[in-house]
C-alpha cells in the first residue's frame, strides 16, 4: 500500500517491495496447498479461496504499481494509473472478504446477512470513487511535471485508510459479538490476524516506503487456513461420495441460510446377502459402483451423501 509521495529519483525514497515478493510466494504456496487438499466445497471454503485469490491480485498489483511508478517516465500514463487503480480496488476487497468469511463461519442467517449488507455501502462508494479516479484525480494523480515525485495524493486519499480501518474494526467488533458462535481456536486466530493487520498498517504509515500490507494479507490467510474443512475428512472411503460428517456440515449451512432444498433418500437392498454369499470385498465393490453411479449424476448441483451402510441421500435445489 502506498501512503506518501515518493521521489522516484531519490534512492532513499524508493519502494522496498521485496517483502511483498516474499509474501506473494508464500500466498502462492498456500493456494497450491488449498487446492491440493481438495477442501470441502462449503461456502466458508469458497469464500476463503476467493480471499486467497484476491490477496494474490493485491500483491501482484502492489508490486507492479511500484515498478510502474519507478519507471513512470518510460511507461504510458494510462498503464501507470490503471495498475495503481486496480491495486486500490483489490486492497479494499480483501478486508470485506475477511468480514464475510466471519459471517459465514459463524452461521449467520441469510436474512441477517442481507441486513448487514448495509455495511458494504462505504466500500461501494469508495470503489466508485477509485474507478472514476483517472478522470477526477480525487484519490491520486500522476504528475509528470512535479519535481518532488510524480505520485500525488488527492483530497479523498485519506478515505482509503478510513475504509480499510473501518472493515478491520467492523470485523473485530463482529467477532466479539459472535464469540459464542465461533470455536475458541478460530476466535484467537482471527483476533491475531486483525491485530497483525493493524500493526502492519501502523508500521507502514511510519515507514511508507516499506510495503508490509501484503505480508499482513498472507499471515491473515495462513492463521485461518487450518480451520477449514478438508474434503478428505468428508469423503466416504468405500463409495467415494460424501460421508455423514459432510452431510451434517451441509445440513448446518442449509438450516442457517434457510435455502429451499429437495431430498431423495435411497436405501439399497440386498447388500447384506451379497456380503454373506460373496464376501465383504465384493460388497464393498458393489458399494463403489453405487457411489460411481450417484457421482455421475452430480453435475455440480446435486450433493450425494452416504449416511450409513446402504443408505444414501441426494440433495439438490
Amino acid at each position: 500500500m502506498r501512503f506518501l509521495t515518493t521521489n522516484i529519483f531519490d534512492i532513499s525514497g524508493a519502494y522496498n517491495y521485496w517483502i511483498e515478493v516474499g509474501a506473494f510466494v508464500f500466498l502462492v504456496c498456500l493456494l497450491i496447498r488449498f487446492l491440493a487438499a481438495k477442501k470441502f466445497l462449503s461456502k466458508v471454503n469458497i469464500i476463503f479461496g476467493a480471499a486467497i485469490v484476491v490477496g494474490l491480485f493485491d500483491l501482484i498489483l502492489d508490486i507492479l504499481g511500484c515498478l510502474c511508478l519507478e519507471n513512470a517516465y518510460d511507461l504510458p500514463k494510462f498503464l501507470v494509473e490503471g495498475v495503481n487503480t486496480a491495486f486500490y480496488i483489490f486492497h479494499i476487497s480483501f478486508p470485506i472478504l475477511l468480514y464475510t468469511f466471519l459471517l459465514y463461519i459463524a452461521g449467520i442467517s441469510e436474512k441477517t446477512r442481507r441486513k448487514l449488507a448495509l455495511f458494504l455501502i462505504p466500500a461501494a462508494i469508495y470503489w466508485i470513487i477509485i474507478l472514476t479516479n483517472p478522470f477526477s484525480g480525487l484519490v491520486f494523480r500522476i504528475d509528470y511535471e512535479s519535481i518532488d515525485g510524480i505520485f500525488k495524493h488527492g483530497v479523498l486519499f485519506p478515505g482509503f485508510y478510513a475504509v480499510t480501518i473501518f472493515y478491520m474494526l467492523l470485523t473485530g467488533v463482529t467477532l466479539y459479538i459472535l464469540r459464542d458462535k465461533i470455536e475458541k481456536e478460530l476466535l484467537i486466530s482471527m483476533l491475531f490476524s486483525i491485530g497483525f493487520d493493524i500493526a502492519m498498517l501502523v508500521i507502514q504509515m511510519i515507514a511508507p516506503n516499506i510495503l508490509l500490507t501484503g505480508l499482513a494479507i498472507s499471515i491473515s490467510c495462513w492463521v485461518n487456513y487450518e480451520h477449514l474443512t478438508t474434503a478428505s475428512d468428508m469423503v466416504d472411503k468405500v463409495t467415494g461420495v460424501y460421508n455423514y460428517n459432510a452431510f451434517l456440515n451441509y445440513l448446518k449451512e442449509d438450516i442457517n441460510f434457510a435455502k429451499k432444498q429437495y431430498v431423495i433418500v435411497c436405501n439399497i437392498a440386498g447388500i447384506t446377502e451379497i456380503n454373506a454369499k460373496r464376501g465383504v470385498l465384493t460388497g464393498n465393490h458393489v458399494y463403489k459402483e453405487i457411489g460411481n453411479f450417484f457421482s455421475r449424476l452430480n453435475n455440480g448441483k446435486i450433493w450425494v451423501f452416504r449416511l450409513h451402510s446402504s443408505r444414501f441421500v441426494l440433495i439438490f435445489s
Side-chain angles (χ1 to χ4, degrees):
M1 188 189 299
R2 275 55 59 78
F3 287 98
L4 299 179
T5 303
T6 301
N7 186 339
I8 63 173
F9 297 110
D10 181 2
I11 296 178
S12 62
Y15 293 115
N16 184 346
Y17 44 76
W18 290 108
I19 295 178
E20 299 286 82
V21 173
F24 172 76
V25 173
F26 179 86
L27 207 55
V28 168
C29 293
L30 185 64
L31 179 62
I32 293 173
R33 185 184 175 192
F34 175 83
L35 296 175
K38 296 181 179 179
K39 294 294 184 181
F40 181 64
L41 290 179
S42 64
K43 290 182 174 61
V44 170
N45 287 0
I46 292 172
I47 292 170
F48 187 86
I52 295 179
V53 173
V54 168
L56 284 172
F57 275 104
D58 180 284
L59 283 161
I60 293 172
L61 292 166
D62 197 9
I63 296 167
L64 290 178
C66 292
L67 291 173
C68 285
L69 290 174
E70 290 177 350
N71 300 276
Y73 288 101
D74 300 320
L75 297 172
K77 184 178 180 181
F78 76 87
L79 178 62
V80 179
E81 286 186 338
V83 171
N84 282 277
T85 297
F87 161 72
Y88 287 116
I89 291 173
F90 274 96
H91 199 77
I92 288 179
S93 301
F94 183 81
I96 294 173
L97 281 173
L98 190 63
Y99 173 66
T100 306
F101 172 77
L102 171 60
L103 295 181
Y104 273 88
I105 210 164
I108 300 302
S109 68
E110 184 177 359
K111 182 178 180 180
T112 303
R113 284 188 287 110
R114 286 177 180 174
K115 294 179 181 178
L116 293 176
L118 292 173
F119 286 119
L120 296 179
I121 293 176
I125 293 173
Y126 208 75
W127 274 327
I128 295 173
I129 293 173
I130 293 173
L131 286 171
T132 58
N133 181 75
F135 309 101
S136 66
L138 292 174
V139 180
F140 70 89
R141 69 183 188 280
I142 307 300
D143 186 357
Y144 288 99
E145 305 299 326
S146 175
I147 61 174
D148 60 346
I150 65 171
F151 187 75
K152 301 293 185 180
H153 293 173
V155 294
L156 294 183
F157 188 84
F160 185 71
Y161 313 146
V163 172
T164 304
I165 293 174
F166 169 75
Y167 285 104
M168 288 182 183
L169 294 177
L170 178 62
T171 303
V173 171
T174 305
L175 192 62
Y176 176 78
I177 295 172
L178 300 177
R179 63 190 183 279
D180 294 332
K181 296 185 177 182
I182 301 173
E183 296 178 2
K184 183 179 179 181
E185 292 78 7
L186 179 60
L187 180 68
I188 295 172
S189 296
M190 294 202 70
L191 284 173
F192 172 81
S193 64
I194 293 170
F196 189 83
D197 290 352
I198 293 175
M200 293 299 100
L201 188 65
V202 171
I203 292 173
Q204 189 164 318
M205 291 179 70
I206 297 172
N209 295 334
I210 302 175
L211 307 180
L212 295 172
T213 53
L215 177 62
I217 289 174
S218 298
I219 295 298
S220 293
C221 290
W222 175 66
V223 297
N224 293 303
Y225 172 82
E226 298 300 334
H227 300 283
L228 302 180
T229 307
T230 306
S232 59
D233 298 329
M234 297 287 148
V235 175
D236 180 66
K237 306 303 181 186
V238 177
T239 63
V241 301
Y242 286 118
N243 60 20
Y244 183 68
N245 288 334
F247 175 72
L248 294 180
N249 240 289
Y250 187 91
L251 194 61
K252 179 182 176 182
E253 285 197 357
D254 188 31
I255 293 173
N256 286 333
F257 307 139
K259 296 187 300 180
K260 183 177 182 180
Q261 299 283 348
Y262 297 90
V263 178
I264 296 177
V265 180
C266 302
N267 195 60
I268 310 300
I271 299 294
T272 302
E273 288 78 2
I274 291 175
N275 286 336
K277 295 179 180 179
R278 301 289 184 176
V280 175
L281 290 179
T282 302
N284 285 345
H285 179 73
V286 174
Y287 275 129
K288 181 66 177 178
E289 290 302 315
I290 293 169
N292 289 338
F293 170 75
F294 284 137
S295 295
R296 286 194 294 270
L297 297 178
N298 188 356
N299 58 359
K301 298 180 181 179
I302 300 176
W303 290 74
V304 183
F305 305 91
R306 183 191 183 192
L307 298 192
H308 61 82
S309 186
S310 58
R311 179 159 296 178
F312 294 80
V313 172
L314 286 72
I315 301 179
F316 53 97
S317 55

